[in-house]
Amino acid sequence: MTKVKVGVAGLGVMGWRIAKNLRDAGLLIGIYNRTFDKALRFGREFGVEAFKTPSELARASDVIITMLSDDEAVKSVIVGNDGVLNGLRTGSLVIDMSTISPSTSIELANMVRSRVVTWLMPPQ
């Protein structure tokens, strides 16, 4: 059986713990953080790759989990230059666990879904 390859974008208090738990389960293949030094520190400590851009993380992952601080952070990581959207493969799954407005979540979900990718968010 092939294991799902999970990537995490956002290594704040919650993202760090989620990424560590995924690594402990053998699912985490890499991380991205807007402050690259933090991603490097996590990567060295837990033996996973620190990606320089969200699109690189997306290209290497089956599932991308975002855990970011606000609407602008999620938008920049998903649709910004070298964002997740540029690296998504057909059949990928994006799970946003960030604290963002419902309208931003719906807007980004529609963009991601247009690429034949699934976006998970809480019910509105």
Side-chain angles (χ1 to χ4, degrees):
M1 174 188 267
T2 304
K3 283 191 178 179
V4 174
K5 297 181 281 185
V6 180
V8 173
L11 292 172
V13 172
M14 298 279 293
W16 186 283
R17 288 176 173 86
I18 289 167
K20 182 190 177 305
N21 288 336
L22 288 165
R23 194 274 307 179
D24 291 349
L27 298 172
L28 185 70
I29 56 94
I31 40 64
Y32 166 80
N33 198 70
R34 291 176 295 158
T35 306
F36 188 61
D37 287 343
K38 193 169 191 179
L40 283 174
R41 190 171 79 233
F42 184 97
R44 285 188 202 113
E45 185 173 339
F46 297 109
V48 298
E49 187 171 354
F51 289 90
K52 289 186 177 179
T53 68
S55 63
E56 291 173 351
L57 177 66
R59 276 191 287 280
S61 305
D62 302 315
V63 176
I64 301 94
I65 297 173
T66 57
M67 177 57 83
L68 300 156
S69 59
D70 57 36
D71 290 40
E72 292 310 310
V74 177
K75 285 180 182 179
S76 71
V77 167
I78 299 293
V79 297
N81 291 339
D82 286 325
V84 165
L85 199 60
N86 293 326
L88 286 174
R89 298 171 295 154
T90 299
S92 295
L93 173 65
V94 178
I95 302 171
D96 178 55
M97 299 175 68
S98 306
T99 306
I100 62 173
S101 68
S103 61
T104 296
S105 189
I106 292 166
E107 173 188 350
L108 293 173
N110 289 333
M111 288 180 194
V112 167
R113 286 179 182 140
S114 74
R115 302 292 284 273
V116 191
V117 176
T118 303
W119 172 279
L120 293 182
M121 62 185 186
Q124 303 304 313

